[in-house]
Amino acid sequence: DGLARVVLDQAALGNPFNEAFCNDWVTLANELTSRDDVRAVLITANGRFFSVGGDIAMFQNNLDELPKLIKKWTSTLHMGIARMARLNAPIVTAVHASAMGGAVALVASSDVVYAARSAVLGSAYAGIGYCCDAGASIALSQRMGVARARRYLLLAENLKAEQAQEAGLVDFVCDDADVVAQAETMAKRLANGPTRAYGAIRTLFKTALSQGLEGQLEDEAQSLSRIAGTADAREGIVAFVEKRKPQFRGQ
């Protein structure tokens, strides 16, 4: 159906960002970005937590080697995050329970975020004496604004779902029992949309706050010109004129 379902599934450990997760994330990104049938991505998790973030036990067992190991672990994690950001397919995430640290960065980098009413989203890093990774500085700034994101990290804040929504980190807050279903409904809607247009929108927003007006205007013009030549753009115009719902095919 065009929808890639991604599940964090180290439930017994709290779905940590451990070495296995880092390796899996880049493998996943390579798979998704190599396929032309992926039109939306839905991220969910199993267990009591969405994710506890960094694997503290793994850190504790490798204290002397951590500086070197962190470079190794982030080399795969960060490459996966960068490649996921290049997908045309929008990413929808359902936060069914608490998310911490790097998991919040993953949430923030999603295009649409649903959170259960009982969920807590904690920045965590500074609370254990660490700075951030997993694209947190960019993703949180884009969602919350630079000053609010910086404060969130410096104060190691824990935000309840409604607070996270007010801050821009979460888009929709749902009853716990409904959060995954509502996120899947949105993901399916996006999977039936103009995938290449979505990809262009995702790409344009990466530079929306970092380059000058003239450069952004030219990127918009070039992107719009490319998308105008797609089958979905043609279908959108014809359907509008014919007063019917367009049938987008991601092409």
Side-chain angles (χ1 to χ4, degrees), residues 6-167:
V6 176
V7 184
L8 309 189
D9 197 27
Q10 295 188 78
L13 302 177
N15 300 317
F17 277 38
N18 55 18
E19 185 172 14
F21 175 87
C22 293
N23 292 337
D24 282 355
W25 198 252
V26 73
T27 300
L28 170 73
N30 289 340
E31 172 71 16
L32 294 182
T33 54
S34 298
R35 299 177 60 150
D36 58 11
D37 59 343
V38 176
R39 298 179 61 190
V41 178
L42 174 64
I43 300 176
T44 61
N46 289 332
R48 286 181 54 219
F49 302 97
F50 179 83
S51 171
V52 296
D55 189 340
I56 301 302
M58 184 173 69
F59 291 178
Q60 170 68 24
N61 293 334
N62 295 279
L63 286 175
D64 293 335
E65 298 295 318
L66 267 183
K68 180 173 69 175
L69 288 173
I70 284 174
K71 288 183 179 179
K72 175 185 176 184
W73 298 330
T74 53
S75 67
T76 51
L77 174 63
H78 287 188
M79 180 57 73
I81 290 169
R83 288 183 175 169
M84 291 285 278
R86 293 176 180 272
L87 279 171
N88 286 326
I91 299 173
V92 180
T93 297
V95 185
H96 77 286
S98 294
M100 298 289 161
V104 175
L106 185 152
V107 168
S109 67
S110 305
D111 299 290
V112 185
V113 178
Y114 287 78
R117 210 168 299 280
S118 67
V120 174
L121 293 92
S123 62
Y125 294 104
I128 59 169
Y130 276 70
C131 55
C132 60
D133 67 344
S137 56
I138 293 177
L140 291 172
S141 294
Q142 288 177 336
R143 275 199 161 267
M144 304 168 77
V146 173
R148 183 67 185 93
R150 183 174 59 234
R151 185 169 89 240
Y152 176 61
L153 289 171
L154 286 173
L155 302 184
E157 291 182 336
N158 292 321
L159 300 180
K160 295 180 179 179
E162 288 85 357
Q163 293 173 313
Q165 184 181 35
E166 290 173 4

